[in-house]
C-alpha cells in the first residue's frame, strides 16, 4: 500500500510552496489509493511554536487536503511532532556512534564559512575535525560543545527520482561529512527525516527540488541503519514573478493573504494549472483533480508565478 506524507515545518502561515507540495503529495498518494500521514517537522522548537502547528493544521483542513494518520487523526506511529520524537533520533545516533562513524566537530559558523570555496552553492565540509586526537577533542570540548558529524565515504550515491529521473552525488566530494546533531543539541533534519519516514512506513516522499541534493545523504543513512528508502518525487520550485525563489517573506503568497482573495477550490485549481495538469484552471476540490493528475504533466523546470494569481 502506498503511504505518502505531508511534513510541513510550522514556522509561519502555510504559503504557496507548501500548498503545492501538500497538493502533489495528496494527489500522488490518493491516485494510488494510498494513505497520507501528517507529520509536523518542529525540530527547531524555538521557531515553531505550537500555535503555528495548530494554524497549519487548520490551513490544511481549509484546503480540504485530508490525512489518515497524524495530529487530529491519531495512528499507530505517533507522536507526529518531531519535537516529541527525539528519543528515536538519539537511538539512531547511538547505532551510528557504535560503528565509529560519528565524530565531534568544534568549528564555528565563521570557520566553516571561511573554509568553503566561494563558488560552491552548498558548502562542502572540509573535514577539519575528522582527524582530531582524543586529547585535542577533550581540550576543545572545554571551550565549546561540539556538533556531531557523520563520516561519509568517497562513493557515489544515485537513485531514480520518480519525477526528475537519475540523480547522483559523491558524498565526500559534493557534500562532505554532514551534521547529525547541532552544537545546541538539536538533531539535524537529515537524521530525523530518515528515522521518521522509515518508522512511519513511508513508501513515497514528495518534496521540492531544493531537497533533491539531500537525498544521497539520506540514502546513505538508510543504508547504514538497515532501513528501506521510499520512492522520491522532487517537484519544481515556485518562483516569484521576478524570478526570485518564493519565500515566507513574500507576504502575498501566504494563506492569510490568499484566503482574503479567493476560495480553497479556486486556489487549488489555479495551482494545478500552474503545475501543468489542469489546463482550464477552473476551481476544483483536490479530489476533483485526481483524474487529470499525473507526474508526467508536471514540469521539471521551476514554475514562475504570474503577476496576478487571480483575475
Ligand atoms: Zn569541524
Amino acid at each position: 500500500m502506498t503511504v505518502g506524507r505531508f511534513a510541513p515545518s510550522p514556522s509561519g502561515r502555510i504559503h504557496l510552496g507548501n500548498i503545492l507540495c501538500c497538493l502533489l503529495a495528496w494527489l500522488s498518494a490518493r491516485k494510488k489509493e494510498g494513505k497520507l500521514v501528517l507529520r509536523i517537522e518542529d525540530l527547531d522548537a524555538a521557531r515553531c511554536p505550537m500555535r503555528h502547528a495548530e494554524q497549519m493544521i487548520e490551513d490544511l483542513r481549509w484546503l480540504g487536503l485530508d490525512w489518515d494518520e497524524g495530529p487530529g487523526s491519531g495512528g499507530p506511529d505517533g507522536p507526529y511532532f518531531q519535537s516529541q520524537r527525539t528519543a528515536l533520533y538519539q537511538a539512531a545516533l547511538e547505532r551510528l556512534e557504535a560503528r565509529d562513524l560519528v565524530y565531534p566537530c568544534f568549528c564555528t559558523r565563521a570557520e566553516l564559512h571561511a573554509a568553503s570555496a566561494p563558488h560552491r552553492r552548498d558548502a562542502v565540509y572540509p573535514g577539519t575535525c575528522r582527524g582530531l586526537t582524543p586529547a585535542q577533542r577533550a581540550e576543545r570540548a572545554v571551550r565549546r560543545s561540539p556538533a556531531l558529524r557523520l563520516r561519509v565515504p568517497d562513493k557515489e550515491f544515485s537513485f531514480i527520482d520518480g519525477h526528475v529521473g537519475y540523480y547522483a552525488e559523491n558524498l565526500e566530494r559534493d557534500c562532505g561529512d554532514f551534521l547529525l546533531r547541532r552544537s545546541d543539541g538539536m538533531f539535524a533534519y537529515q537524521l530525523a527525516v530518515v528515522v521518521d519516514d522509515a518508522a512511519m512506513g513511508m513508501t513515497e516522499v514528495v518534496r521540492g527540488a531544493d531537497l533533491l541534493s539531500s537525498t544521497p545523504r539520506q540514502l546513505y543513512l538508510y543504508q547504514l541503519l538497515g532501513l528501506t528508502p521510499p520512492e522520491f518525487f522532487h517537484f519544481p520550485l515556485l518562483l516569484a514573478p521576478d524570478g526570485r525563489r518564493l519565500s515566507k517573506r513574500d507576504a502575498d503568497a501566504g494563506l492569510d493573504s490568499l484566503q482574503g482573495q479567493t476560495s480553497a477550490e479556486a486556489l487549488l485549481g489555479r495551482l494545478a494549472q500552474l503545475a501543468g495538469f489542469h489546463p482550464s484552471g477552473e476551481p476544483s476540490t483536490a479530489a476533483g483533480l485526481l483524474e487529470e493528475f499525473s507526474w508526467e504533466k508536471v514540469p521539471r523546470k521551476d514554475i514562475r508565478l504570474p503577476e496576478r494569481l487571480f483575475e
Side-chain angles (χ1 to χ4, degrees), residues 103-107 112 125 128-129 149:
Y103 65 87
C105 167
F106 298 92
C107 298
L112 291 172
Y125 180 67
T128 318
C129 302
R149 286 185 187 272

Side-chain angles (χ1 to χ4, degrees), residues 101-116:
L101 290 164
V102 181
Y103 65 87
C105 167
F106 298 92
C107 298
T108 62
R109 198 180 284 263
E111 284 164 348
L112 291 172
H113 188 70
S116 66

Side-chain angles (χ1 to χ4, degrees), residues 56-68:
M56 198 154 260
I57 290 166
E58 220 172 278
D59 289 347
L60 286 169
R61 291 214 168 101
W62 182 80
L63 289 162
L65 298 171
D66 64 337
W67 57 96
D68 307 285

Side-chain angles (χ1 to χ4, degrees), residues 238-253:
L238 292 181
L239 304 180
D242 63 4
R244 273 177 312 112
R245 180 87 189 270
L246 201 65
S247 82
K248 278 193 307 240
R249 287 188 301 275
D250 291 287
D252 49 355

Side-chain angles (χ1 to χ4, degrees), residues 33 72 191 249 255 276:
E33 293 176 2
L191 180 66
R249 287 188 301 275
L255 191 58

Side-chain angles (χ1 to χ4, degrees), residues 71-301:
S73 305
D77 302 315
Y80 294 93
F81 289 81
Q82 285 193 324
S83 58
Q84 297 168 23
R85 299 176 63 80
T86 50
L88 291 164
Y89 313 143
Q90 182 64 35
L93 176 66
E94 285 169 12
R95 287 180 58 197
L96 299 169
E97 284 176 323
R99 295 175 61 179
D100 201 23
L101 290 164
V102 181
Y103 65 87
C105 167
F106 298 92
C107 298
T108 62
R109 198 180 284 263
E111 284 164 348
L112 291 172
H113 188 70
S116 66
H119 63 277
R120 296 206 72 116
R121 193 169 45 85
D122 296 313
V124 175
Y125 180 67
T128 318
C129 302
R130 195 189 242 223
L132 295 180
T133 64
Q136 287 171 318
R137 283 177 186 163
E139 185 254 327
R140 282 168 173 74
V142 174
R143 279 175 286 131
R144 187 175 159 78
S145 62
L148 297 176
R149 286 185 187 272
L150 181 72
R151 274 174 215 281
V152 299
D154 177 14
K155 188 180 161 199
E156 195 160 88
F157 283 78
S158 66
F159 71 105
I160 309 287
D161 186 272
H163 186 52
V164 299
Y166 180 84
Y167 184 79
E169 255 185 30
N170 177 300
L171 282 185
E172 189 177 76
R173 197 186 56 222
D174 300 326
C175 166
D177 298 341
F178 61 89
L179 286 178
L180 296 175
R181 208 180 69 190
R182 300 192 332 191
S183 61
D184 62 4
M186 191 178 115
F187 285 97
Y189 166 76
Q190 309 294 353
L191 180 66
V193 79
V194 165
V195 167
D196 285 346
D197 281 336
M200 295 176 179
M202 235 51 83
T203 67
E204 65 174 41
V205 165
V206 173
R207 60 189 183 190
D210 52 333
L211 287 165
L212 184 63
S213 70
S214 286
T215 313
R217 275 171 272 176
Q218 292 170 20
L219 290 172
Y220 182 45
L221 283 170
Y222 275 102
Q223 182 187 308
L224 291 174
L225 295 167
L227 303 169
T228 306
E231 185 173 17
F232 292 94
F233 294 84
H234 289 88
F235 65 84
L237 299 177
L238 292 181
L239 304 180
D242 63 4
R244 273 177 312 112
R245 180 87 189 270
L246 201 65
S247 82
K248 278 193 307 240
R249 287 188 301 275
D250 291 287
D252 49 355
L255 191 58
D256 40 354
S257 155
L258 294 165
Q259 273 177 333
Q261 304 172 48
T262 188
S263 67
E265 287 76 16
L267 181 53
L268 294 183
R270 188 74 171 105
L271 270 179
Q273 182 185 37
L274 290 167
F277 58 89
H278 183 52
S280 76
E282 288 295 311
S284 176
T285 60
L289 297 165
L290 272 173
E291 204 175 320
E292 284 178 294
F293 170 76
S294 82
W295 276 110
E296 288 93 80
K297 295 178 187 167
V298 178
R300 289 181 177 77
K301 289 202 321 205

